[in-house]
């Protein structure tokens, strides 16, 4: 274990949903890989015991990825439990005792944001570990003002270097691969700019709805839930410049620079939608105007991208579950390319599988066939035992590497960009479940040539929809 590695992990919200779905599986995976060998202390207010927490962990693993008996046994031996109210100093005194002199504990706040300040204040006052770090779940605030406020609050107790703001998309190999692919391969550079790229599209489609999270979702909406964080991370990776050095701050500087170059989105550059039936979901207001779909047009006013429109679209209950980027190239000035030729692009599929593809037009097998679109494609499906996003980011936070976390300036820039559309009362158009969102999108926010609708895994026909 290096000098900066956390010597204990404390997770608040130990009996909550996130712990159940994501954290226990990530912990077991970390143990199995030999990356976790320090006390793991769950904190919650539930009147439970450590054996109940172990049983819950077991249950969680049975449902999410499976129990590995040796790893689970080891994890159980590392698990501790502190029960108590987050408002009560006694909870933190008990935690202090349980930490048993740990000098560099990592505190993971898997709890509602309104509790962040209380918990961080207690940690600073009662636990007194000078080298503590805090891992914070999204959403980080709900607009620019609240994000600034939250940053200010955290900085009263912690330096920026001790704050790890989670965006689990940064734990995805396919997201990080965009940067490596761009900068590790010399052929990318000459055309990856405004001279050759006509438009950039990012689509995050989910073929399911709010899945019992109606209460949370109705306070959040699609722009806060996935666009200003997950999809902006993809956008930053697509648009950033090569960092001067490979250290965390040089990389995060470049990402923040991308967002700084994006003017705030005006309300005419967004179309919002809501799937039919959303208002009858549990926890959703019957007259809710929250968007479960949004399409946005952005500009990146940098030397590289000025004048290239970036389109972002995300929604629940769309036809497929898939996140994909399509960079359309400008039309070549030759007689061999006609306006109707659709294959002239580069495609990055971020999930469910990872794909890099170049769409090109070639001469078919015979005269009848003429020209036809093809894809030169490299694709890889997730393999059993592969590190998933949560395991990766938890491991990185405990190792003390902030590269895969959102920095203060970055999160504030992200909120600045979407703030006007969050405040604007733009219409929310209804759309049918299983459709590509409201029909208004096509006429208002669409790239030249129309949106590219990603195909379900295994059903790609290697061409862009006209
Ligand atoms: C979460 C959102 O942050 O990301 C969810 O709250 C969304 O609404 C999820 O479904 C998508 O993550 P992934 O890794 O499944 O693409």
């Amino acid at each position: 274990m290096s000098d900066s590695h956390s010597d204990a992990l404390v997770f608040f919200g130990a009996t909550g949903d996130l712990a159940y779905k994501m954290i226990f599986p990530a912990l077991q995976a970390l143990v199995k890989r030999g990356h976790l060998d320090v006390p793991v202390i769950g904190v919650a207010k539930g009147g439970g015991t450590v054996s109940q927490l172990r049983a819950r962990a077991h249950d969680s693993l049975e449902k999410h990825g499976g129990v590995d008996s040796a790893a689970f046994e080891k994890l159980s031996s590392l698990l501790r439990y502190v029960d108590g109210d987050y408002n009560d100093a006694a909870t933190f005194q008990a935690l202090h005792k349980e930490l048993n002199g740990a000098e560099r504990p990592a505190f993971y706040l898997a709890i509602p944001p309104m509790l962040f300040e209380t918990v961080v204040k207690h940690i600073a006052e009662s636990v007194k570990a000078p080298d503590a770090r805090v891992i914070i779940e999204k959403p980080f605030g709900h607009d620019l003002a609240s994000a600034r406020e939250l940053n200010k609050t955290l900085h009263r107790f912690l330096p920026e270097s001790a704050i790890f703001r989670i965006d689990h998309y940064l734990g995805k190999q396919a997201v990080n691969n965009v940067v490596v692919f761009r900068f590790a391969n010399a052929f990318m550079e000459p055309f990856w700019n405004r001279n050759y790229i006509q438009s950039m599209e990012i689509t995050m489609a989910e073929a399911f709805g709010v899945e019992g999270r109606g209460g949370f979702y109705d306070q959040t909406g699609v722009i806060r839930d996935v666009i200003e964080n997950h999809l902006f991370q993809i956008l930053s990776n697509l648009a950033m410049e090569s960092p001067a050095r490979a250290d965390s701050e040089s990389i995060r500087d470049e990402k923040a620079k991308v967002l700084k170059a994006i003017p705030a989105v005006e309300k005419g550059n967004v179309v919002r939608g809501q799937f039919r039936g959303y208002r009858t979901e549990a926890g959703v207001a019957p007259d809710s105007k929250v968007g479960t779909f949004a399409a946005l047009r952005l500009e990146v006013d940098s030397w590289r991208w000025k004048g290239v429109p970036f389109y972002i679209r995300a929604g629940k209950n769309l036809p497929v579950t898939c996140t994909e980027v399509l960079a359309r190239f400008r039309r070549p000035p030759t007689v061999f390319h006609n306006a109707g030729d659709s294959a002239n692009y580069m495609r990055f599929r971020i999930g469910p599988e990872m794909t890099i593809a170049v769409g090109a037009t070639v001469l078919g097998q015979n005269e009848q066939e003429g020209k036809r679109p093809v894809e030169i494609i490299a694709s890889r499906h997730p393999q059993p035992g592969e590190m998933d996003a949560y395991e990766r980011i938890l491991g990185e936070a405990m190792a003390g590497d902030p590269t895969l976390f959102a920095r203060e300036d970055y999160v504030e820039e992200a909120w600045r960009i979407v703030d006007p559309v969050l405040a604007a009362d733009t219409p929310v158009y209804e759309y049918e479940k299983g459709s590509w969102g409201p029909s208004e999108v096509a006429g208002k926010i669409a790239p030249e040539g129309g949106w590219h609708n990603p195909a379900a895994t295994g059903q790609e026909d290697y061409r862009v929809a006209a």
Side-chain angles (χ1 to χ4, degrees):
M1 198 162 68
S2 80
D3 284 354
S4 60
H5 201 285
S6 302
D7 53 4
L9 173 67
V10 179
F11 64 115
F12 293 86
T15 53
D17 215 37
L18 189 76
Y20 192 76
K21 286 190 185 143
M22 305 300 231
I23 302 177
F24 289 124
L27 293 177
Q28 179 182 265
L30 281 163
V31 168
K32 192 170 172 196
R33 224 178 284 279
H35 291 174
L36 180 65
D37 193 12
V38 297
V40 178
I41 308 167
V43 186
K45 181 189 167 193
T49 61
V50 70
S51 355
Q52 281 167 331
L53 189 67
R54 285 184 188 127
R56 191 168 163 80
H58 195 270
D59 201 46
S60 135
L61 292 166
E62 275 178 340
K63 297 207 171 63
H64 302 284
V67 180
D68 177 293
S69 22
F72 179 73
E73 201 173 306
K74 171 86 197 218
L75 175 61
S76 294
S77 74
L78 297 172
L79 265 187
R80 320 266 187 278
Y81 181 63
V82 171
D83 190 81
D85 194 306
Y86 299 141
N87 284 303
D88 187 353
T91 308
F92 294 86
Q93 281 145 18
L95 176 59
H96 182 52
K97 218 165 124 209
E98 202 61 73
L99 277 166
N100 196 22
E103 289 170 1
R104 298 178 305 280
F107 296 96
Y108 182 0
L109 311 192
I111 50 176
M114 63 190 180
L115 295 169
F116 288 169
E117 181 171 2
T118 312
V119 170
V120 171
K121 186 164 175 282
H122 277 302
I123 290 172
E125 286 168 1
S126 312
V127 179
K128 295 198 183 68
D131 289 326
R133 59 181 67 115
V134 169
I135 307 166
I136 296 190
E137 266 299 331
K138 73 171 254 283
F140 192 85
H142 58 270
D143 57 11
L144 177 58
S146 57
R148 277 188 178 144
E149 201 49 46
L150 186 51
N151 274 329
K152 229 164 59 199
T153 304
L154 293 173
H155 287 143
R156 280 194 1 241
F157 307 104
L158 297 156
E160 176 63 20
S161 59
I163 303 171
F164 289 70
R165 297 176 192 80
I166 288 189
D167 181 326
H168 80 279
Y169 267 51
L170 284 176
K172 290 182 187 261
Q173 281 300 73
V175 172
N176 299 321
N177 179 59
V178 170
V179 178
V180 171
F181 188 75
R182 281 187 54 204
F183 296 122
N185 298 302
F187 71 86
M188 283 291 289
E189 183 54 23
F191 64 79
W192 201 251
N193 55 51
R194 65 191 154 87
N195 299 324
Y196 289 89
I197 306 268
Q198 174 186 298
S199 66
M200 194 79 85
E201 272 174 64
I202 309 172
T203 295
M204 176 183 184
E206 292 184 311
F208 49 86
V210 293
E211 300 198 301
R213 298 160 75 220
F216 158 79
Y217 202 87
D218 214 36
Q219 302 295 317
T220 311
V222 64
I223 295 177
R224 292 185 175 97
D225 189 38
V226 299
I227 293 182
E228 72 84 31
N229 34 55
H230 303 335
L231 299 191
F232 277 15
Q233 287 292 352
I234 297 175
L235 166 71
S236 303
N237 286 0
L238 288 166
M240 70 188 261
E241 297 303 321
S242 175
R245 286 194 302 243
D247 60 275
S248 63
E249 297 327 292
S250 302
I251 293 172
R252 299 201 297 174
D253 285 346
E254 294 304 333
K255 294 188 180 192
K257 261 167 65 186
V258 172
L259 298 194
K260 281 184 191 161
I262 301 179
V265 185
E266 315 240 321
K267 63 182 186 185
N269 280 330
V270 63
V271 171
R272 296 190 301 141
Q274 188 184 80
F275 65 80
R276 200 181 294 281
Y278 172 71
R279 293 176 181 189
T280 57
E281 295 272 348
V284 171
D287 57 350
S288 173
K289 288 168 88 182
V290 163
T292 60
F293 173 99
L296 272 68
R297 181 174 34 229
L298 305 167
E299 300 284 334
V300 183
D301 285 345
S302 64
W303 180 268
R304 186 184 288 271
W305 296 113
K306 178 92 182 163
V308 179
F310 280 65
Y311 292 88
I312 295 187
R313 175 176 67 154
K316 298 279 187 196
N317 274 322
L318 301 189
V320 295
T321 297
C322 168
T323 300
E324 200 162 284
V325 172
L326 194 89
R328 273 198 171 91
F329 296 127
R330 295 193 187 284
R331 238 183 100 179
T334 78
V335 291
F336 299 113
H337 191 95
N338 308 119
D341 289 348
S342 55
N344 181 31
Y345 60 86
M346 182 137 193
R347 181 166 75 87
F348 287 97
R349 192 159 164 113
I350 304 296
E353 72 277 28
M354 176 163 122
T355 296
I356 301 168
V358 176
T361 299
V362 296
L363 197 56
Q365 284 180 358
N366 51 46
E367 279 65 24
Q368 285 77 31
E369 196 181 22
K371 286 183 298 178
R372 68 186 183 94
V374 292
E375 273 197 344
I376 303 163
I377 184 166
S379 194
R380 195 169 62 79
H381 287 262
Q383 301 299 308
E386 215 168 272
M387 206 183 264
D388 88 341
Y390 260 87
E391 181 192 348
R392 179 167 292 108
I393 49 177
L394 261 186
E396 293 292 302
M398 292 191 67
D401 186 340
T403 311
L404 301 185
F405 297 85
R407 205 169 60 185
E408 174 191 14
D409 52 345
Y410 181 95
V411 291
E412 292 188 7
E413 288 295 335
W415 284 118
R416 175 191 58 75
I417 295 166
V418 295
D419 237 23
V421 294
L422 291 175
D425 200 16
T426 53
V428 181
Y429 303 103
E430 213 169 34
Y431 62 95
E432 296 299 332
K433 286 183 187 175
S435 73
W436 280 103
S439 56
E440 283 78 3
V441 174
K444 291 189 171 152
I445 308 284
E448 200 183 313
W451 282 96
H452 153 66
N453 293 333
T457 298
Q459 315 234 314
E460 297 96 332
D461 68 353
Y462 305 136
R463 74 187 69 196
V464 181

